[in-house]
Amino acid sequence: MLGKGVVGGGGGTKAPKPSFVSYVRPEEIHTNEKEVTEKEVTLHLLPGEQLLCEASTVLKYVQEDSCQRGIYGKLVCTDFKIAFLGDDDSALDNDETQFKNKVIGENDITLHCVDQIYGVFDEKKKTLFGQLKKYPEKLIIHCKDLRVFHFCLRYTKEEEVKRIVSGIIHHTQAPKLLKRLFLFSYAAAAQNHAATDPRNHTVMFDTLKDWCWELERTKGSVKYKAVSVNEGYKVCERLPAYFVVPTPLPEEDLSRFQGHGIPLWCWSCHNGCALLKMSALPKKEQDDGLSQMQKSFLDGIYKTIHRPPYEIVKTEDLSSNFLSLQDIQTAYSKFKQLFLIDNSTEFWDTDIKWFSLLESSSWLDIIRRCLKKAIEITECLEAQNVNVLLLEENASDLCCLVSSLVQVMMDPHCRTRIGFQSLVQKEWIMGGHSFLDRCNHLRQSDKEEVPVFLLFLDCVWQLVHQHPPAFDFTETYLTVLSDSLYIPIFSTFFFNSPHQKDNVGRESQDTQSKPLNLLTVWDWSVQFEPKAQMLLKNPLYVEKPKLDKGQRKGMRFKHQRQLSLPLTQSKSSPKRGFFREETDHLIKNLLGKRISKLINSSDELHDNFREFYDSWHSKPTDYHGLLLPHIEGPEIKVWAQRYLRWIPEAQILGGGRAATVSKLLEMMEEVERLQEKIDARPHGQGALLAEAPLLLRGSARLSALFPFALLQRHPSKPVLPTSGWKALGDEEDLAKREDEFVDLGDV
């Protein structure tokens, strides 16, 4: 058994607490060590990556406490990742490896992805940090992507335990300097390896031309202008080199107060209204003269944007009338604990109070409040025909979140993959969101770590989940994008501002013969093969129909609901129940229960908002117009694919949205084949569906958390809680039935 890299304990009575059981003596392990080493997986190093420390004879536990199996291998730590090298990768067949990440393996953890490290001493779990006087017999690593790794060090040599544990603690928790990030080592070593995807047309907004193009696209160039006054960051290091302001605004005003108090353009609506943002002027309570000067300056700014041809401006102060960063941080800290499950016993022990814990975290309620705020601003722009000015201390956190959500709801271009990526570049990267601090990449301050961008992705997922045909990308795209926050070979999410990135680039050019070629996360070919990238594209996306000249004359397109028939079946009323499908009962019960407060109280919603919201939802959906989410309590759900993908007990074999999409693709292919026969057209639109990955064929092989569930072992326990299901038989009977189902699905 050991020669295969697996150590396990057989039957016996079930222990009350998880504990490793091995019938292989330590001396037997060392006797067979040579045989096992020959089968170990080779450590693959990226350009510039260096091995720091390693430990042999490490057992990686499988998350099952029924038999406590472990996989034998080596644990290593590099300046990029923690990796476990075993020979268990052969268990994955060719189909399952189609979605394999080329940069991060199944048993790899980037140093930036490590959240907490725990040690087990005499069956007691303790947090590990700093210098240790005693070293644990078991190491537990909680990751920011919610994976949980268990490593047994009981049979590892004492010196190797000290090196690997101390090395992991130091390189994941000690404060770092920006220049010491692996990002720069990789960029320097991979000059000849860096490639740009020719199909990637994401607008980076790092040139004046990009901003002018966006103004033309949204028809905002009449009232707004792109300026280059901040070239070289002479005005403000917090702002991008180029940005857009109201046309009448004098350029000398832009240089006052270091860019504070300047209304920056975000997006223009079809009716001429615009979404603006502004960073608040610093408060100087003791200096009355400066306060008066600031007041006069703001008065002049407001007069400029209030005069014709500008519409009335409504100011939305996000710093005082909305969420706080502390609210977001506290809610997510509670929320993520629900998914950091150590073993199967813990999963079932907490299952009975899962909904109450979920509600007490307030994470879903925060999502609802963000979507509600975006709808309120959309109503001002669309129905009231007023400009909206978002105000925040630095306009780089909640302003990025709300302005991006508004554009996703109102602009169908932002619901395409290229448009969405361009939106992130414009509002988050060039908008100066402090990714370095908010993700705590340098480990310098836990207080600054707030998952604002993850909150945005979760809000977008709610829209994708409720209106799938309206989006060119899938939830898998959003999931891997959230994972990319912690992969330090891409520069996209590892700087606080464009100035910081450009400054590092200039310094590197002074010390090296060639400038650093920093990769962007939008080149998905770096992480995934072409077949895997197909899972990022939504095959059910409804493209905007192309009309001939005669049709165009008789139609008037607006960014609003049309009274025409829907492109797919109309949505069911939320009053009918919590769910619109009749499949995946466990996931429905797990994720769709009412756990948030309903928002139908008249004192919470303004009359204008309620009328706008209800009117939109009473009509069929135009997937290329305005798009609003349902925000009633039961409609805000848990993003299952991201948060539950690593928990075997949450898998539903042969079920979930992936199985539904698989069946729909089969039907669409059949319809297109028939259409091609009718039209005598051997090569038609079916070519697009033919590119859909084979992973989506055969729903019996899919899981509710596809495609990540394919990388995980299926649980040996039943997917239904055994208490209350005694009529179905005992655990062994249910497990046998599940095994029979899996066997049938594999045939």
Side-chain angles (χ1 to χ4, degrees):
M1 179 184 295
L2 189 60
K4 296 180 180 179
V6 177
V7 177
T13 58
K14 185 178 177 182
K17 293 184 178 180
S19 59
F20 179 77
V21 178
S22 175
Y23 296 113
V24 183
R25 296 188 299 275
E27 56 268 24
E28 291 179 306
I29 291 179
H30 294 296
T31 301
N32 294 328
E33 186 173 349
K34 183 177 180 180
E35 177 186 352
V36 175
T37 303
E38 294 175 353
K39 296 187 177 183
E40 284 182 352
V41 177
T42 305
L43 174 63
H44 297 287
L45 297 175
L46 295 176
E49 185 178 4
Q50 296 182 347
L51 177 65
L52 301 177
C53 51
E54 60 184 314
S56 302
T57 326
V58 176
L59 291 171
K60 173 180 172 286
Y61 286 140
V62 178
Q63 282 189 345
E64 289 183 21
D65 58 355
S66 56
C67 61
Q68 283 299 306
R69 294 179 299 171
I71 302 168
Y72 177 92
K74 180 185 292 185
L75 187 62
V76 303
C77 180
T78 72
D79 56 350
F80 169 63
K81 65 178 181 284
I82 301 165
F84 177 78
L85 308 177
D87 67 347
D88 195 51
D89 290 345
S90 59
L92 298 175
D93 60 32
N94 291 333
D95 283 346
E96 292 180 351
T97 56
Q98 287 187 30
F99 196 64
K100 182 179 179 181
N101 192 306
K102 296 193 293 184
V103 178
I104 301 297
E106 179 187 358
N107 292 319
D108 294 345
I109 316 166
T110 66
L111 301 182
H112 296 281
C113 192
V114 174
D115 191 10
Q116 292 289 338
I117 302 174
Y118 301 93
V120 176
F121 303 84
D122 300 326
E123 298 188 0
K124 293 182 179 180
K125 180 178 169 182
K126 298 180 180 179
T127 305
L128 300 183
F129 54 88
Q131 295 290 332
L132 300 182
K133 296 181 180 179
K134 183 180 179 182
Y135 290 86
E137 59 188 36
K138 182 178 178 182
L139 193 66
I140 302 175
I141 300 178
H142 286 185
C143 305
K144 293 183 178 180
D145 62 4
L146 304 181
R147 288 181 295 169
V148 178
F149 287 87
H150 298 251
F151 300 107
C152 176
L153 307 174
R154 186 178 300 172
Y155 304 127
T156 309
K157 295 179 181 179
E158 184 177 352
E159 288 302 315
E160 292 186 1
V161 171
K162 291 181 179 179
R163 281 198 299 269
I164 193 67
V165 174
S166 299
I168 289 176
I169 292 174
H170 174 74
H171 292 290
T172 59
Q173 296 185 355
K176 300 178 180 64
L177 296 174
L178 177 61
K179 296 178 182 179
R180 296 289 184 180
L181 291 181
F182 179 73
L183 173 70
F184 305 109
S185 302
Y186 179 83
Q191 291 293 327
N192 298 325
H193 299 271
T196 301
D197 188 353
R199 296 168 296 177
N200 181 18
H201 303 293
T202 302
V203 182
M204 305 303 288
F205 291 98
D206 53 358
T207 65
L208 192 65
K209 182 180 178 181
D210 289 345
W211 288 98
C212 292
W213 177 87
E214 181 72 354
L215 275 173
E216 290 295 329
R217 187 188 71 82
T218 61
K219 297 179 174 56
S221 56
V222 175
K223 303 176 183 178
Y224 298 91
K225 62 181 179 181
V227 295
S228 58
V229 67
N230 200 37
E231 269 188 336
Y233 305 98
K234 295 175 291 186
V235 173
C236 177
E237 296 180 353
R238 181 181 45 80
L239 294 176
Y242 312 99
F243 50 85
V244 175
V245 296
T247 301
L249 200 65
E251 290 205 1
E252 55 267 20
D253 285 350
L254 301 179
S255 58
R256 299 180 64 183
F257 301 110
Q258 291 75 49
H260 289 273
I262 303 298
L264 303 176
W265 175 87
C266 298
W267 180 78
S268 286
C269 185
H270 65 91
N271 57 16
C273 296
L275 181 63
L276 308 167
K277 64 181 178 181
M278 177 191 291
S279 57
L281 289 170
K283 296 180 180 179
K284 301 288 184 179
E285 297 179 357
Q286 297 179 351
D287 193 335
D288 294 336
L290 183 58
S291 297
Q292 186 61 38
M293 189 185 304
Q294 291 178 351
K295 186 177 183 303
S296 300
F297 173 72
L298 284 180
D299 288 343
I301 293 293
Y302 284 126
K303 287 179 181 178
T304 299
I305 60 179
H306 270 289
R307 73 168 69 127
Y310 298 93
E311 295 76 8
I312 298 173
V313 177
K314 177 183 177 182
T315 302
E316 191 71 46
D317 190 350
L318 300 179
S319 297
S320 59
N321 300 326
F322 194 43
L323 298 167
S324 69
L325 296 181
Q326 182 63 48
D327 292 336
I328 299 172
Q329 183 186 56
T330 302
Y332 187 72
S333 296
K334 294 179 181 178
F335 177 73
K336 70 180 180 181
Q337 296 303 320
L338 301 177
F339 309 99
L340 294 169
I341 303 297
D342 283 343
N343 51 62
S344 183
T345 297
E346 182 181 343
F347 178 87
W348 295 114
D349 286 347
T350 58
D351 185 63
I352 193 172
K353 53 183 178 179
W354 195 84
F355 288 121
S356 60
L357 293 173
L358 181 59
E359 184 171 13
S360 65
S361 73
S362 299
W363 179 251
L364 297 189
D365 192 55
I366 282 179
I367 293 172
R368 180 187 67 80
R369 292 175 64 184
C370 291
L371 292 172
K372 177 177 177 289
K373 179 62 69 176
I375 296 173
E376 288 176 351
I377 293 169
T378 298
E379 189 267 336
C380 292
L381 294 167
E382 179 76 21
Q384 298 185 28
N385 290 347
V386 299
N387 292 320
V388 177
L389 176 64
L390 304 178
L391 188 64
E392 191 185 9
E393 183 179 355
N394 288 314
S396 60
D397 287 305
L398 299 177
C399 276
C400 300
L401 170 66
V402 174
S403 64
S404 299
L405 285 178
V406 170
Q407 292 174 65
V408 170
M409 291 180 188
M410 299 191 71
D411 191 345
H413 174 70
C414 297
R415 302 196 285 268
T416 65
R417 196 167 86 179
I418 295 301
F420 184 79
Q421 293 174 176
S422 301
L423 173 68
V424 173
Q425 280 292 141
K426 179 179 68 169
E427 296 298 331
W428 295 84
I429 310 303
M430 293 299 153
H433 181 66
S434 302
F435 281 101
L436 200 64
D437 294 339
R438 294 293 176 250
C439 297
N440 201 15
H441 287 318
L442 299 182
R443 299 285 180 175
Q444 293 182 350
S445 175
D446 292 340
K447 294 181 180 179
E448 295 292 324
E449 184 174 2
V450 185
V452 183
F453 187 69
L454 177 60
L455 175 58
F456 164 66
L457 294 181
D458 207 331
C459 291
V460 173
W461 178 86
Q462 304 293 331
L463 283 158
V464 171
H465 179 74
Q466 293 182 24
H467 306 286
F471 289 86
D472 179 40
F473 50 86
T474 62
E475 67 168 340
T476 302
Y477 168 84
L478 295 175
T479 300
V480 297
L481 182 57
S482 72
D483 291 341
S484 301
L485 284 169
Y486 311 109
I487 303 180
I489 67 171
F490 306 110
S491 62
T492 310
F493 304 127
F494 276 82
F495 293 100
N496 283 337
S497 65
H499 167 262
Q500 189 180 49
K501 178 182 177 181
D502 292 349
N503 190 46
V504 171
R506 284 193 298 270
E507 290 179 358
S508 66
Q509 195 167 1
D510 294 339
T511 57
Q512 300 182 22
S513 57
K514 295 182 180 180
L516 289 179
N517 187 7
L518 299 175
L519 290 181
T520 171
V521 73
W522 312 127
D523 185 359
W524 293 105
S525 63
V526 176
Q527 294 192 65
F528 301 105
E529 298 292 348
K531 287 183 179 180
Q533 290 183 57
M534 290 304 300
L535 292 175
L536 309 182
K537 182 176 178 60
N538 181 13
L540 303 181
Y541 171 60
V542 177
E543 295 189 20
K544 189 172 183 178
K546 295 181 180 179
L547 304 175
D548 56 34
K549 294 181 180 179
Q551 286 177 301
R552 288 195 188 100
K553 290 180 181 178
M555 295 192 69
R556 221 175 134 193
F557 283 100
K558 294 182 178 180
H559 289 273
Q560 59 185 10
R561 277 297 184 92
Q562 303 291 324
L563 297 178
S564 58
L565 292 174
L567 297 171
T568 62
Q569 77 267 21
S570 60
K571 303 181 300 296
S572 59
S573 170
K575 295 180 180 179
R576 289 178 54 189
F578 294 159
F579 312 107
R580 290 187 290 266
E581 297 95 9
E582 296 299 329
T583 57
D584 303 337
H585 298 290
L586 182 62
I587 285 292
K588 288 177 182 178
N589 292 331
L590 191 65
L591 305 180
K593 188 176 179 181
R594 178 181 302 210
I595 46 79
S596 294
K597 298 176 182 178
L598 295 178
I599 61 161
N600 54 7
S601 56
S602 59
D603 57 338
E604 184 179 355
L605 295 176
H606 299 297
D607 292 339
N608 289 341
F609 172 87
R610 173 51 76 181
E611 182 180 355
F612 177 74
Y613 178 82
D614 289 342
S615 174
W616 191 91
H617 283 290
S618 67
K619 302 171 186 175
T621 306
D622 174 14
Y623 291 118
H624 299 285
L626 179 63
L627 196 71
L628 299 184
H630 281 291
I631 55 175
E632 290 82 6
E635 294 294 340
I636 304 299
K637 303 183 187 298
V638 172
W639 183 0
Q641 188 192 69
R642 185 186 192 277
Y643 300 124
L644 286 167
R645 54 184 160 156
W646 313 120
I647 303 177
E649 289 76 14
Q651 316 295 339
I652 298 181
L653 302 178
R657 184 177 293 271
T660 304
V661 171
S662 174
K663 291 298 183 184
L664 286 173
L665 285 174
E666 292 175 8
M667 294 173 61
M668 291 170 66
E669 286 179 341
E670 184 176 356
V671 170
E672 289 184 347
R673 281 196 298 268
L674 293 173
Q675 185 66 47
E676 287 175 0
K677 289 181 179 179
I678 294 173
D679 298 341
R681 197 171 48 190
H683 300 289
Q685 295 178 349
L688 293 175
L689 287 176
E691 295 180 4
L694 293 176
L695 277 172
L696 281 171
R697 309 294 188 237
S699 59
R701 302 230 28 209
L702 301 178
S703 162
L705 303 180
F706 171 88
F708 301 95
L710 285 175
L711 302 180
Q712 305 300 308
R713 285 185 174 83
H714 300 309
S716 62
K717 282 194 166 187
V719 294
L720 295 175
T722 54
S723 58
W725 293 86
K726 296 300 182 183
L728 298 178
D730 58 19
E731 288 189 33
E732 293 184 2
D733 291 337
L734 284 171
K736 289 178 181 177
R737 293 181 194 179
E738 184 186 55
D739 291 338
E740 290 173 359
F741 174 77
V742 175
D743 292 338
L744 289 173
D746 291 339
V747 173

